[in-house]
Amino acid sequence: MCTKSLITGLFCLPAMACFAQRDTTKKQSIDITSSYKPLLRNAVKINFSATNLTADTVRQVSPYAIPAQNLFYTYQPMTLKPLALTQDTSLDMGSRNFLKAGFGNYSTPYINAGFSFGDGKKSLVNVYADYISSKGKIKNQDYSKMNLKASGSYFTDKAEVYGSVGISQNDYYLYGYDHALHYYNKSDLLQRLTDVKLRGGFRNKDVNEQDINYNPNIEINVFTNQKKLIESSLLIEAPVEKKLGDIFSVKVVAKADITSYTTQNYMPDNIKFSNNIFSIAPELIYTTPELSLHGGLTPAWDNGKLSVLPNFYGEAQIPDKSFLVQAGFTGRFIKNSYQNLTAINPYLSPLTSPQLNTTETELYGGIKASVGKHFNFSAKGGVLRYKNLPFFINDTAIGSDSKSFKVSNESKLADLRIHGDLSYINQDKFTITGGLTFNGYTGMHDNAKAWGTIPLQIDASLRWWAFKQVMIKSDFTAYTGSAYLLPGNINQTLGGAADLSAGVEVTINKKISAWLDINNIFNNKYQRWYGYEVYGTGVLAGIILKF
């Protein structure tokens, strides 16, 4: 054992000697056999041109459409009931026929009816009829009105051909005389005005490939009274509109209005004359979501005399506001035919000489606005200038009973007109509207006052579906009295009027409804025309059938 340890120790001594001894003669150093130098790849530079950016001053406005708030639907929403789809080649038009009939005091029968035929795709025909008459408490205070009309359309792929025929007969009695001084047979007081009208035309359904809209039409009128007075009219109108891009369009309306007036064995001397107006109205239209402008001039020939009328108007949406600004300078001719004049005053005597037509020009401005979801209002003010405006005065000739009216022509005058209206509309459940119109006539040359005109008028209406089956309605009219002339050149002013009516309509089922109307609730027996007092409170009731 000792011998092995000794031998092992002898072998380890040289190794220990090697670790114990170090070479101090050699200088310590580090030998590098290779080197690495990192490099970045040369970058490719982008050379920008030294130009300034163009400032963008255009305000981007996204167009949007506000749905109309004054729609009054005739249907009520109903729950959806899914059904299996069945093929049906016919168009279901629903209940298209109705009959409204009733009776009231003053021996007043009332009938109103409408009927529809056709599928609505290729053809459609509508027939209307209404009749009403009353007998007042004053002797010969009677009247009746009857209207019949049929209109139809035939549809092609690109156009619609339409036409209508109608006849109306209105009977009035000239009861506006002093009944203590005069006595007349009822037949001698009859003022029966009959109108037969034919109309036809054709128009495109959609904008065609040339972006042209057209609607030429023709109308024939024959207007008569019970004493063989005949006034026949021919009206031809040809409007054409061409779009020039998205915002510009050109419109031209050519019109010919030809009238012939004659009396046959009615007066000591038969009277015959014509009254013709021809016009052409070109205009340029600029339309964007914020602005609409119309501009043009209208040359018109009134019985051969040329006049050029302005036709400039437009509307602008105020940015960030809920209202429109409107303004315009427009002109037109008002044709004073016997038919048009009796539509204003049915107690007018026949014309004995050619009637001058009225030239009207208007310079106006105003606003339209929507407030919230339900309120709408508009206000408009302007100055109108008239040439040859007809006024209506009682016949004050010596020996006359003043029961009829004559035309008193005013060669030149001005009218300051202010109009405003307001409405509150809650879908189809509740609607109330109101309007006010003021007319201030000044600068008359031939008349002391504006005979027969209304200085101030207020109108209002209410429609309320109080329940699903019950609709309540009301209408109100008030105006200040007009000036009138008495024999001896004495002028007076009529009292004002306030006329309130109310009614209710109750739906019994899908086919039958009942209705009640009460007119002139205040029983105000006012006079619109001197000598012609209106009826008092009237009550009408009846039923409506739908089928």
Side-chain angles (χ1 to χ4, degrees):
M1 184 71 177
C2 295
T3 307
K4 292 181 179 180
S5 299
L6 182 60
I7 295 171
T8 303
L10 293 175
F11 279 101
C12 292
L13 288 175
M16 294 175 60
C18 292
F19 282 98
Q21 296 179 2
R22 188 173 64 176
D23 189 1
T24 59
T25 61
K26 186 178 179 181
K27 188 176 181 180
Q28 188 175 1
S29 63
I30 299 175
D31 298 327
I32 298 175
T33 58
S34 64
S35 61
Y36 174 76
K37 183 178 181 180
L39 296 174
L40 294 176
R41 185 177 180 181
N42 293 332
V44 178
K45 295 183 179 180
I46 301 176
N47 295 322
F48 295 96
S49 59
T51 58
N52 295 327
L53 294 178
T54 304
D56 187 5
T57 59
V58 178
R59 183 178 181 180
Q60 299 295 329
V61 178
S62 299
Y64 62 92
I66 301 176
Q69 300 293 319
N70 56 349
L71 298 178
F72 191 87
Y73 299 102
T74 58
Y75 59 85
Q76 295 291 331
M78 59 183 297
T79 57
L80 296 176
K81 296 180 180 179
L83 299 174
L85 179 64
T86 58
Q87 185 176 4
D88 188 3
T89 58
S90 63
L91 179 63
D92 183 10
M93 302 293 288
S95 299
R96 303 163 56 194
N97 308 315
F98 74 91
L99 173 64
K100 182 178 182 180
F103 192 82
N105 62 337
Y106 296 105
S107 302
T108 304
Y110 175 80
I111 298 176
N112 186 15
F115 306 93
S116 295
F117 309 93
D119 58 5
K121 293 181 178 179
K122 289 294 184 181
S123 63
L124 184 63
V125 176
N126 297 316
V127 179
Y128 308 95
D130 63 80
Y131 174 82
I132 188 173
S133 65
S134 293
K135 295 182 179 180
K137 295 181 179 180
I138 303 175
K139 186 179 180 180
N140 300 322
Q141 191 189 23
D142 304 344
Y143 86 100
S144 67
K145 293 183 178 182
M146 182 270 295
N147 295 284
L148 295 173
K149 181 180 179 181
S151 61
S153 295
Y154 178 79
F155 304 97
T156 65
D157 294 337
K158 297 182 179 181
E160 174 189 357
V161 181
Y162 61 90
S164 65
V165 56
I167 180 172
S168 65
Q169 180 174 289
N170 300 329
D171 287 357
Y172 302 92
Y173 291 89
L174 305 178
Y175 64 91
Y177 57 90
D178 190 338
H179 291 259
L181 298 177
H182 303 278
Y183 174 82
Y184 294 99
N185 292 322
K186 189 174 182 179
S187 58
D188 296 332
L189 302 176
L190 177 62
Q191 174 89 311
R192 173 169 290 170
L193 305 175
T194 304
D195 179 32
V196 178
K197 180 181 297 185
L198 299 173
R199 186 170 185 263
F202 64 95
R203 58 193 169 204
N204 57 311
K205 294 167 58 177
D206 301 311
V207 179
N208 52 32
E209 295 82 0
Q210 292 78 26
D211 288 334
I212 296 177
N213 292 320
Y214 54 86
N215 183 19
N217 57 86
I218 184 172
E219 181 178 306
I220 300 174
N221 270 355
V222 179
F223 188 73
T224 64
N225 75 351
Q226 77 284 1
K227 295 183 178 180
K228 297 184 179 180
L229 181 155
I230 301 176
E231 184 180 70
S232 57
S233 299
L234 173 64
L235 176 62
I236 302 174
E237 187 178 40
V240 179
E241 182 175 356
K242 164 70 175 177
K243 289 188 176 181
L244 305 175
D246 296 332
I247 60 176
F248 284 100
S249 60
V250 176
K251 184 177 181 180
V252 179
V253 180
K255 185 183 297 184
D257 192 346
I258 304 170
T259 300
S260 175
Y261 177 95
T262 182
T263 61
Q264 299 178 5
N265 301 322
Y266 177 44
M267 298 179 179
D269 297 324
N270 289 336
I271 298 173
K272 185 176 182 180
F273 58 83
S274 60
N275 186 1
N276 306 323
I277 299 177
F278 301 92
S279 65
I280 183 168
E283 63 176 321
L284 178 65
I285 304 172
Y286 173 85
T287 305
T288 66
E290 299 82 18
L291 182 63
S292 175
L293 297 175
H294 296 246
L297 295 174
T298 304
W301 290 262
D302 175 21
N303 292 309
K305 183 179 179 180
L306 174 63
S307 298
V308 180
L309 303 177
N311 187 26
F312 301 94
Y313 61 96
E315 291 183 347
Q317 174 76 46
I318 302 302
D320 301 327
K321 302 294 182 181
S322 59
F323 64 88
L324 294 170
V325 174
Q326 57 179 345
F329 181 40
T330 60
R332 62 169 180 155
F333 269 105
I334 303 173
K335 193 168 190 178
N336 293 323
S337 63
Y338 186 63
Q339 180 180 2
N340 294 339
L341 293 174
T342 53
I344 302 173
N345 186 341
Y347 310 107
L348 181 67
S349 297
L351 303 177
T352 58
S353 61
Q355 180 60 40
L356 300 175
N357 298 313
T358 301
T359 306
E360 176 192 275
T361 58
E362 179 181 12
L363 178 64
Y364 69 90
I367 60 173
K368 295 180 180 179
S370 297
V371 181
K373 297 181 180 180
H374 305 289
F375 281 101
N376 300 281
F377 77 90
S378 66
K380 177 182 174 182
V383 177
L384 293 88
R385 298 191 179 277
Y386 294 100
K387 293 182 180 179
N388 301 318
L389 182 66
F391 293 148
F392 299 93
I393 60 173
N394 293 85
D395 187 355
T396 58
I398 298 176
S400 174
D401 51 17
S402 301
K403 68 179 183 297
S404 60
F405 288 78
K406 291 187 174 182
V407 172
S408 178
N409 187 73
E410 177 59 46
S411 60
K412 185 182 296 185
L413 77 158
D415 176 20
L416 173 62
R417 178 176 297 172
I418 300 174
H419 174 79
D421 57 66
L422 176 69
S423 65
Y424 177 88
I425 301 172
N426 186 3
Q427 299 177 356
D428 58 347
K429 298 179 180 179
F430 183 83
T431 302
I432 184 170
T433 62
L436 179 148
T437 302
F438 168 80
N439 287 292
Y441 295 98
T442 59
M444 278 122 13
H445 295 76
D446 308 294
N447 294 269
K449 293 188 178 181
W451 313 113
T453 61
I454 296 177
L456 178 65
Q457 181 169 342
I458 299 174
D459 298 289
S461 67
L462 168 72
R463 298 294 183 270
W464 177 31
W465 283 95
F467 305 98
K468 185 177 180 180
Q469 293 84 14
V470 179
M471 192 268 284
I472 298 173
K473 63 180 181 179
S474 179
D475 294 283
F476 175 76
T477 298
Y479 55 80
T480 55
S482 58
Y484 66 96
L485 192 63
L486 292 175
N489 204 28
I490 300 173
N491 64 77
Q492 300 287 339
T493 302
L494 292 171
D499 194 325
L500 175 66
S501 65
V504 61
E505 182 178 320
V506 180
T507 301
I508 300 174
N509 54 44
K510 294 182 179 179
K511 301 294 184 180
I512 303 175
S513 300
W515 59 275
L516 170 68
D517 288 344
I518 303 176
N519 302 313
N520 197 0
I521 295 176
F522 298 146
N523 198 29
N524 184 0
K525 297 181 180 181
Y526 56 91
Q527 300 180 36
R528 172 62 184 93
W529 302 105
Y530 174 68
Y532 291 88
E533 184 179 282
V534 302
Y535 297 162
T537 302
V539 180
L540 280 170
I543 62 172
I544 302 174
L545 302 178
K546 299 178 181 179
F547 49 93

